Amino acid sequence: MKKLFLCLGIFLFFVSCKKSEPQSAASSEAAITEKVNELYTQYGKSNEAIYNQPIPDTLFSQNLKKVLDEAISASKADIEKVKNSDHPDEKPLIFEGAMFSSLYEGFTDYKIKSVKIQDKTAEALVAFEYNMASPKVTWMDTVNLTNTDEGWRVDNITFDTVGNSKNLKARLTEFVQSTQQ
């Protein structure tokens, strides 16, 4: 009977050791899913949140946060410049359309299709739908994340071909350059 319990104990030990490895990947996938949901819950429907609150360190990588801060500062500066100009009724350079989505109009629904993790980076493939037009529009964007010491952060978004930009960082950089002309 003792030998049976010893064998059973050894077997359970090895089985539990095997499960700890995928659990780590599962917890990373859950953390990534949480970040993507946070991104599209907080910033998906409107660009107002970008102007009205500071960019969180907990959601975006330092690199993307820097690019976002530069673009927001450039937009706010242009708003003030137009307001104080001889023509305050002109339209300043502001973020128009959905900033974090390929489609200008934004989305009515989204679903995370898959998450691929490779070392310190990950890609979350997100399927979007916009059903306020006929026919409805569907597309896929890829949210690129990086794993920092503080956890997973959104580092960029690669847009689908329905949009006019390749990725979020390029879109923001082009925006900043347009305010300087």
Side-chain angles (χ1 to χ4, degrees):
M1 195 63 149
K2 288 182 182 180
K3 286 184 179 182
L4 177 65
F5 282 118
L6 179 64
C7 290
L8 185 60
I10 291 170
F11 174 75
L12 288 174
F13 174 76
F14 284 115
V15 169
S16 66
C17 287
K18 288 255 185 213
K19 287 187 177 182
S20 67
E21 203 172 302
Q23 191 174 7
S24 159
S27 66
S28 286
E29 190 170 327
I32 291 165
T33 300
E34 182 181 320
K35 287 297 173 187
V36 172
N37 285 329
E38 183 181 345
L39 171 68
Y40 291 115
T41 301
Q42 192 168 355
Y43 297 107
K45 300 293 181 186
S46 166
N47 290 335
E48 275 185 42
I50 288 291
Y51 288 106
N52 297 335
Q53 54 193 342
I55 302 299
D57 291 331
T58 58
L59 181 58
F60 299 107
S61 69
Q62 287 301 315
N63 190 357
L64 181 56
K65 182 181 182 320
K66 180 180 176 229
V67 176
L68 278 164
D69 284 337
E70 287 172 3
I72 293 164
S73 294
S75 178
K76 286 181 177 179
D78 199 63
I79 291 169
E80 284 301 311
K81 184 173 111 180
V82 169
K83 192 187 302 182
N84 297 325
S85 74
D86 293 337
H87 307 283
D89 56 336
E90 286 184 359
K91 184 177 176 183
L93 293 172
I94 58 172
F95 298 115
E96 294 185 301
M99 180 185 294
F100 298 102
S101 165
S102 290
L103 193 66
Y104 180 88
E105 290 81 5
F107 59 90
T108 53
D109 194 27
Y110 76 94
K111 182 178 181 181
I112 300 169
K113 288 294 201 182
S114 66
V115 174
K116 288 185 202 170
I117 303 169
Q118 186 173 1
D119 298 326
K120 295 263 185 200
T121 62
E123 292 181 347
L125 187 62
V126 183
F128 291 93
E129 176 181 294
Y130 180 73
N131 62 16
M132 303 298 274
S134 183
K136 76 177 179 183
V137 182
T138 59
W139 70 97
M140 305 272 254
D141 288 347
T142 303
V143 179
N144 304 293
L145 298 101
T146 186
N147 195 0
T148 67
D149 293 338
E150 294 85 31
W152 289 98
R153 302 291 187 263
V154 175
D155 189 48
N156 203 358
I157 301 171
T158 305
F159 296 125
D160 196 321
T161 55
V162 299
N164 58 2
S165 296
K166 290 183 180 178
N167 64 62
L168 179 61
K169 286 181 182 176
R171 181 184 286 177
L172 294 171
T173 303
E174 290 168 10
F175 179 84
V176 170
Q177 289 172 349
S178 72
T179 64
Q180 296 169 351
Q181 295 174 352

